Amino acid sequence: MKPSDTTAPDTGFDASALQELRPEQQLGKTALLLAVVCVAAWIANIVNGAPLHQALPGMVILYGMVMIGLLIGRFAPFYLPSVAWVSLVSIVMTLPFFPGSGWIVGQLAHVNFLAVVTPVLAYAGLALTGREFTMFRQTGWKLVIVSLLVFTGTFVASAFIAHLVI
């Protein structure tokens, strides 16, 4: 394979096209989509029983943290996944020595993170790309059996631990 060839040998996908699909490479689209997700999560925060106006500053702060992390990921001189940059920004902004961290943590306390994360995790679990389908076709039915055993074992172990703790 020539160094100038950007096609992965076993998948047939164009690596440069995949690079351009990263969220930090499409900040405009990502910002708009993230705003829609934040509005949906903000409305889902009603599950917590808190009025929407209490959760709004926290959702705006979360939006800002994610966008700052994506901006850093876009312009950083070395590569780290976007989730790592977003996590680092969020951790630093909530550390006690960070200016305004008490206010930030106080506003984030009004956000029900279970209500925010559940739809995101559900989507992440269902979002399959062509690469996953290709890999699934190559591994076949054995992957289904192993997956079912892993899911069942994880669920049973989690339920057992929860039963012991509660």
Side-chain angles (χ1 to χ4, degrees), residues 42 52-62 103 107-108 111:
W42 176 54
L52 287 177
H53 63 67
Q54 282 184 345
L56 182 60
M59 290 305 297
V60 171
I61 291 169
L62 286 175
W103 181 81
Q107 298 305 312
L108 292 174
V111 177

Side-chain angles (χ1 to χ4, degrees), residues 91-157:
I91 289 169
V92 168
M93 288 180 72
T94 55
L95 288 173
F97 60 81
F98 188 82
S101 69
W103 181 81
I104 291 172
V105 171
Q107 298 305 312
L108 292 174
H110 296 292
V111 177
N112 182 354
F113 283 97
L114 187 58
V116 171
V117 173
T118 301
V120 173
L121 291 178
Y123 174 74
L126 295 175
L128 297 173
T129 64
R131 177 180 263 166
E132 280 96 14
F133 281 116
T134 303
M135 186 175 65
F136 178 72
R137 276 189 234 118
Q138 291 173 351
T139 55
W141 59 271
K142 297 173 206 164
L143 181 65
V144 174
I145 293 172
V146 171
S147 298
L148 289 174
L149 290 172
V150 168
F151 295 153
T152 304
T154 303
F155 176 78
V156 170

Side-chain angles (χ1 to χ4, degrees), residues 38-57:
C38 281
V39 168
W42 176 54
I43 293 169
N45 197 54
I46 294 173
V47 172
N48 192 25
L52 287 177
H53 63 67
Q54 282 184 345
L56 182 60

Side-chain angles (χ1 to χ4, degrees), residues 57-105:
M59 290 305 297
V60 171
I61 291 169
L62 286 175
Y63 180 84
M65 288 175 170
V66 172
M67 288 309 299
I68 291 169
L70 291 175
L71 280 168
I72 292 172
R74 171 86 160 104
F75 297 110
F78 57 92
Y79 174 74
L80 270 179
S82 298
V83 69
W85 286 115
V86 171
S87 297
L88 286 172
V89 167
S90 302
I91 289 169
V92 168
M93 288 180 72
T94 55
L95 288 173
F97 60 81
F98 188 82
S101 69
W103 181 81
I104 291 172
V105 171

